[in-house]
Structures are given as structure tokens and as C-alpha cells.
Amino acid sequence: NAGVTQTPKFRVLKTGQSMTLLCAQDMNHEYMYWYRQDPGMGLRLIHYSVGEGTTAKGEVPDGYNVSRLKKQNFLLGLESAAPSQTSVYFCASSWGVTDAFFGQGTRLTVV
Amino acid sequence: SQKIEQNSEALNIQEGKTATLTCNYTNYSPAYLQWYRQDPGRGPVFLLLIRENEKEKRKERLKVTFDTTLKQSLFHITASQPADSATYLCALVSPRSNYQLIWGAGTKLIIKP
């Protein structure tokens, strides 16, 4: 099993550009999450989903949108990238609010 | 404010000794607390979960304690090995957090041969 797969692994964007990060899980998990991780700070929840077709805002949702059209996929969109969105993004999935499985991360730089 | 605090300074331990990492929290009544390991350039990996009504949990060389009076969890690695070197993250789940994980920033552990 692949677990949780994120694409791309690295990306450089110019300010104002848009992009979509893709997360795919093959464990049939209901819950999926998008986090960002910045130096010296804990993981911060951007958006999450408790099932196919549902999404909810986390701690830092501004500037991001998400969609969960299929149970196995959770997409994170940046409509107009800003330098403050330079970060490492992690996707995770879980059966419920218990142990989470993480992807390898996407390192995004906005210049 | 609501906080989870882990020692931001790296912890250096001699191989074979017990490493103890601390996770303190304020303004939460966690339903449970989790510990994860994160290696450079990788995502966190789940290690242990302890519930509010449990004092201690063990898994092989790992032990977690949970003191709701002190608002603290301790994470122990006995007989430490260089391969245990990593950053260790604690995260809690609470009704106050809408049952979503709230994360500490992690403590870097270095095991020296």
C-alpha cells in the first residue's frame, strides 16, 4: 500500500499564481486533513474533511480552498499565492480523530 | 491562550541512556494525547496514544505518561540508540479543539554514540 501520497513534492510559485496540491490515500479513511508546518511552530490545520463531499475550516484557512469529491482524494488550492504561504504542506488521513497517517509533504516557495 | 509547549532546545542524550521529552499544555482538557516522530524531510509518524483516564502507556522501548493535574505528558525512550534521533511531536485532542489535533512544535532528540 502506498498510504498517503502528495503531489508535487516541491514547487516554486510567483506571487499571484495559483496551484493545486493533490493528496491521495488508499486506506479507505474517512477523515483527511491539510496542515502547514513552519519553522518553530507546530503543525497548523488549514482545512479538513470528515467524509466524501464534506469540508471544514481549520485554524488557518484564509487564502486556501479545498475539495473532497472522491473519498480517496483531498485537494488543496491556492488561488493567488502570497509569500506568507511559503511553507511545507502535509496531508494526513485517519479513521477518526485518532492516529493520523501523513504524506511526505510538499515544499512550497512563493517568490 | 491555548498552548502546547515542547522544549524548543535540542535534547542530547548518550546512547544507551533514557531520553525523556516533555509536553505541557494549558487551557485544555484533552480527551487524549498522541506522540509522533518526524524525520527531516518526512511527514510525522504516529507512535503512541494515551487517553485522559490512563496514567501510562508502553510500546517496546517507548513509554508515555499523562498527568492531567500537572497538565503534562512525558515521553520516554529507554536504551536509546542513534536511530532514535529525530524530532518528536506531541498533539492533543480536546472537545475545546472541536476534536481536531492541536500540535506542539516538537523537540529534536539527538542520540550520540
Side-chain angles (χ1 to χ4, degrees):
Chain A
N1 286 343
V4 178
T5 303
Q6 291 181 231
T7 52
K9 290 185 170 51
F10 302 92
R11 186 73 185 267
V12 178
L13 283 180
K14 292 183 178 179
T15 297
Q17 285 185 321
S18 64
M19 76 165 294
T20 300
L21 282 69
L22 172 64
C23 177
Q25 54 97 2
D26 61 3
M27 295 171 282
N28 203 34
H29 286 164
E30 290 292 339
Y31 286 54
M32 296 188 75
Y33 312 85
W34 276 107
Y35 291 96
R36 61 177 289 172
Q37 188 174 40
D38 300 293
M41 302 182 72
L43 289 160
R44 290 184 292 169
L45 184 63
I46 304 171
H47 286 280
Y48 64 100
S49 169
V50 300
E52 181 179 312
T54 73
T55 62
K57 293 180 180 180
E59 179 187 359
V60 289
D62 293 342
Y64 306 95
N65 56 76
V66 288
S67 64
R68 183 108 180 261
L69 299 179
K70 292 184 178 181
K71 186 176 184 178
Q72 64 268 34
N73 295 336
F74 196 29
L75 278 63
L76 177 71
L78 286 73
E79 291 186 347
S80 180
S84 61
Q85 294 178 305
T86 293
S87 187
V88 180
Y89 291 85
F90 286 103
C91 175
S93 69
S94 66
W95 287 112
V97 193
T98 55
D99 51 302
F101 292 78
F102 281 79
Q104 296 268 43
T106 296
R107 187 172 295 275
L108 175 66
T109 302
V110 183
V111 297
Chain B
S1 62
Q2 301 161 352
K3 283 185 182 179
I4 299 179
E5 293 182 343
Q6 296 184 257
N7 195 335
S8 59
E9 294 181 7
L11 182 63
N12 288 275
I13 298 292
Q14 195 67 38
E15 181 178 7
K17 302 293 185 183
T18 296
T20 298
L21 288 73
T22 304
C23 177
N24 296 300
Y25 60 91
T26 58
N27 296 329
Y28 281 109
S29 296
Y32 46 87
L33 193 143
Q34 304 181 23
W35 284 88
Y36 289 74
R37 168 183 174 143
Q38 187 174 23
D39 292 286
R42 309 292 294 268
V45 175
F46 172 78
L47 296 175
L48 280 169
L49 178 153
I50 187 164
R51 301 181 191 280
E52 61 180 334
N53 60 349
E54 297 175 319
K55 296 288 186 186
E56 183 179 297
K57 204 77 166 285
R58 290 175 185 262
K59 179 182 177 182
E60 298 173 350
R61 294 185 296 111
L62 309 180
K63 184 178 82 171
V64 172
T65 63
F66 197 6
D67 189 325
T68 55
T69 300
L70 291 178
K71 294 186 181 293
Q72 181 181 80
S73 175
L74 298 179
F75 177 80
H76 306 271
I77 304 175
T78 59
S80 59
Q81 305 166 1
D84 295 326
S85 299
T87 296
Y88 291 85
L89 310 175
C90 72
L92 63 80
V93 174
S94 163
R96 192 168 182 173
S97 69
N98 200 26
Y99 291 100
Q100 298 307 313
L101 286 167
I102 304 297
W103 296 82
T107 297
K108 185 174 183 178
L109 176 65
I110 301 168
I111 307 297
K112 297 187 174 181

